[in-house]
Amino acid sequence: AKKADAEALGADFAVMTDEAVIGSLGRTFDIILDTVAVHHEINNIISTLKAYTGVLVLIGGIPQPYAMAGFPMIFNCTRVEGSFIGGCALTQEMLDFCYAHKIAPEI
């Protein structure tokens, strides 16, 4: 249901375990929301981010550190960011942004 809802709002999806799919998606995405709650390979995901503007956002967390290839990120100016939930100040900033841009939840 979440995938269908996101696609209806314009999101693109790819199965990131398929090497052929990953290879065809080089420098495609502006942002990737990674909600996988177990340790997984992220370098192949990072390779699908657009140069200079691409951001991988890790939502939640796992106890093991990720092994990231730094040079591709440096050369392409991509970023990795993350948050458990954001806290009160960030939640308020998000709510203010949504109000200013007339963004409401789909029910």
Side-chain angles (χ1 to χ4, degrees):
K2 289 182 183 181
K3 180 179 177 186
D5 291 343
E7 286 175 333
L9 293 170
D12 294 319
F13 283 88
V15 177
M16 298 308 259
T17 55
D18 184 337
E19 293 295 327
V21 169
I22 293 169
S24 69
L25 293 172
R27 309 287 168 243
T28 299
F29 298 112
D30 296 303
I31 187 168
I32 297 173
L33 301 176
D34 186 334
T35 62
V36 178
V38 297
H39 194 270
H40 57 288
E41 170 61 43
I42 64 170
N43 287 305
N44 55 0
I45 297 171
I46 292 170
S47 73
T48 66
L49 293 170
K50 287 183 179 177
Y52 302 105
T53 59
V55 181
L56 171 63
V57 181
L58 301 172
I59 300 176
I62 60 165
Q64 304 94 338
Y66 287 105
M68 284 188 270
F71 280 115
M73 292 180 63
I74 293 168
F75 292 134
N76 293 299
C77 298
T78 55
R79 298 186 319 271
V80 175
E81 299 179 4
S83 174
F84 282 115
I85 59 170
C88 292
L90 288 175
T91 301
Q92 186 62 54
E93 181 182 341
M94 180 270 308
L95 291 171
D96 293 343
F97 178 88
C98 290
Y99 178 79
H101 294 88
K102 297 179 176 37
I103 299 170
E106 293 287 324
I107 300 176

